[in-house]
Amino acid sequence: IYTEKFSQKFGIQRKKIPKIFQWKYMSAIIFFLTIIIMIVSKKVLDKNIPIILVFLIFSVITTIFFKQELFHNQFCPFGFLQSLFGRRSIYSYKVEEKKCIGCKLCEKSCPTKAIKVMENKKAIINKELCLQCGNCKEVCPKNAINYKN
């Protein structure tokens, strides 16, 4: 979040995402490449690559130039796993339509853009994109977002 704010303040961040980064299989390829790199580095090179550190640095660099949802939705291995298993999750964050006032605070706070406020002024959460971070629940003035089945 801080990296994104910094890059916006200095006009570094681009609004348009290049088409190659929007490819729908990008996250799957990065996920499997990460696994292969980890296996090869351990078995062949007998080294442990600090993969979390690599992704942390990559996330900061990505967020300097683009919105943070690009990293979460296209490059992050956890984002790929969430897209696979999130749609079938029993428990997740849900919006109570009766309480929702359509203020869009939840939409603005979501790092993956999993929340959209529809024309009827009610928010919906895409479980495939939701990282279960709880940012939306924290900012909701009407306590309309809760973790349940």
Side-chain angles (χ1 to χ4, degrees):
I1 295 173
Y2 298 112
T3 308
E4 186 173 319
K5 287 180 182 179
F6 169 82
S7 64
Q8 286 174 344
K9 183 177 180 177
F10 290 100
I12 301 169
Q13 197 170 74
R14 300 174 185 143
K15 294 187 188 301
K16 191 171 181 179
I17 298 171
K19 290 223 185 252
I20 191 163
F21 294 150
Q22 296 174 16
W23 191 44
K24 72 179 189 175
Y25 300 112
M26 177 76 74
S27 61
I29 289 171
I30 289 175
F31 176 78
F32 290 112
L33 275 174
T34 301
I35 302 252
I36 290 168
I37 289 168
M38 287 175 17
I39 291 170
V40 168
S41 70
K42 184 65 179 163
K43 297 289 181 186
V44 176
L45 304 174
D46 197 30
K47 300 274 184 201
N48 284 327
I49 293 177
I51 206 75
I52 302 237
L53 181 62
V54 170
F55 275 106
L56 177 67
I57 292 167
F58 186 63
S59 72
V60 170
I61 292 169
T62 303
T63 310
I64 287 172
F65 296 104
F66 304 101
K67 296 276 187 194
Q68 62 180 324
E69 65 262 16
L70 175 66
F71 176 76
H72 291 299
N73 296 339
Q74 295 297 100
F75 301 133
C76 179
F78 178 73
F80 169 70
L81 292 174
Q82 183 64 29
S83 70
L84 285 180
F85 300 110
R87 66 187 91 168
R88 289 182 174 66
S89 64
I90 296 170
Y91 290 93
S92 67
Y93 283 99
K94 293 194 168 93
V95 179
E96 292 181 49
E97 281 191 31
K98 292 176 186 171
K99 291 182 177 180
C100 182
I101 59 172
C103 66
K104 295 190 177 189
L105 290 174
C106 57
E107 188 178 87
K108 292 173 186 169
S109 73
C110 182
T112 62
K113 299 298 180 209
I115 302 174
K116 298 283 182 229
V117 176
M118 306 308 284
E119 289 178 19
N120 65 354
K121 303 289 185 200
K122 302 299 177 190
I124 60 166
I125 300 174
N126 180 343
K127 293 191 320 183
E128 289 182 38
L129 297 177
C130 180
L131 296 176
Q132 311 299 324
C133 66
N135 290 355
C136 54
K137 180 175 176 47
E138 290 177 23
V139 299
C140 183
K142 297 295 182 179
N143 199 27
I145 301 172
N146 292 295
Y147 190 75
K148 57 187 176 182
N149 75 2

